[in-house]
Amino acid sequence: MVLLVVDTQKALVNEKLFSYQTFIQNIKKLIYEARKHEVEVIYVIHDDGEDSDLTKGQIGFEIFDEFKPLSDEKVFIKNFNSAFKNTGLLEYLNIKNEKDIIIVGLQTDKCINATVISGFEYGFHIFIPALSNSTVDNDYMSSKKTYEYYNHFMWKDRYAKCISIEETVKGIENKYF
């Protein structure tokens, strides 16, 4: 089992996110519990290329201060929506024979969705803790509607188990869902 923290970068973590304060608190809690119970925390961050706030070397590229990785925690850099595409993450998890992935981070309708579906297609058991992914309003749906659509309709019982924070913590403690 691993906790995969996706795109929680300074340029993306802001108060425009759906349920911002709860999102922050839930991810902090899950990172804390994972470390406490020796569940590996893995980070994946997005590099959008030149002239972007999400470019290596820019402040916006850095991981949000409240989620900072420890020096021995893995950080994979991606250039696509899926955390699995050309990052080395898939190979790393296969070598470690990991099958269960708890996915948290940003943004629900972009990189989290691509990572959830890709992870499912690669045969991983995906777990999505409640209010631990978020997004902003878009031209078609509010951030709340978008969150609900993916977490309560698209992923649930298709690609992932969408579970409460309490169930997630219990799974981390037991290292089993």
Side-chain angles (χ1 to χ4, degrees):
M1 169 185 307
V2 298
L3 174 62
L4 187 64
V5 183
V6 179
D7 293 356
T8 55
Q9 293 160 267
K10 290 181 180 179
L12 300 174
V13 178
N14 61 65
E15 292 187 7
K16 293 178 185 177
L17 294 169
F18 170 66
S19 197
Y20 174 73
Q21 290 298 333
T22 303
F23 168 78
I24 298 292
Q25 292 308 312
N26 284 347
I27 292 181
K28 285 173 53 176
K29 179 177 184 131
L30 293 173
I31 291 170
Y32 170 80
E33 292 293 338
R35 289 173 177 161
K36 178 179 168 185
H37 296 286
E38 299 179 355
V39 169
E40 184 174 12
V41 180
I42 300 172
Y43 294 81
V44 178
I45 55 177
H46 194 86
D47 187 335
D48 233 1
E50 290 184 36
D51 302 322
S52 168
D53 288 341
L54 292 175
T55 301
K56 193 172 186 175
Q58 299 294 323
I59 291 173
F61 179 78
E62 296 173 11
I63 296 171
F64 184 65
D65 289 337
E66 295 187 53
F67 306 150
K68 283 275 189 208
L70 300 177
S71 61
D72 63 339
E73 291 174 331
K74 295 265 186 219
V75 178
F76 293 89
I77 298 173
K78 66 182 183 60
N79 304 109
F80 300 96
N81 284 353
S82 172
F84 294 102
K85 185 170 175 121
N86 300 335
T87 61
L89 175 63
L90 177 62
E91 296 79 5
Y92 177 76
L93 293 173
N94 284 335
I95 288 169
K96 293 189 59 122
N97 200 30
E98 292 290 352
K99 288 296 177 201
D100 296 338
I101 304 174
I102 303 164
I103 299 177
V104 302
L106 298 170
Q107 287 180 295
T108 303
D109 49 333
K110 296 178 180 170
C111 298
I112 298 297
N113 182 54
T115 299
V116 166
I117 292 171
S118 295
F120 170 82
E121 289 177 344
Y122 283 121
F124 294 103
H125 306 122
I126 307 295
F127 300 89
I128 308 293
L131 296 172
S132 64
N133 65 83
S134 189
T135 194
V136 296
D137 292 346
N138 63 50
D139 291 342
Y140 304 98
M141 289 191 281
S142 69
S143 57
K144 181 178 190 247
K145 262 301 186 216
T146 302
Y147 171 85
E148 291 171 345
Y149 175 76
Y150 284 94
N151 286 267
H152 302 298
F153 175 67
M154 277 303 295
W155 301 330
K156 187 177 181 180
D157 301 327
R158 287 186 177 99
Y159 301 106
K161 289 185 180 175
C162 297
I163 58 178
S164 71
I165 289 297
E166 294 76 23
E167 289 173 287
T168 308
V169 169
K170 187 177 261 189
I172 289 170
E173 289 171 354
N174 298 325
K175 294 188 177 112
Y176 182 78
F177 285 99

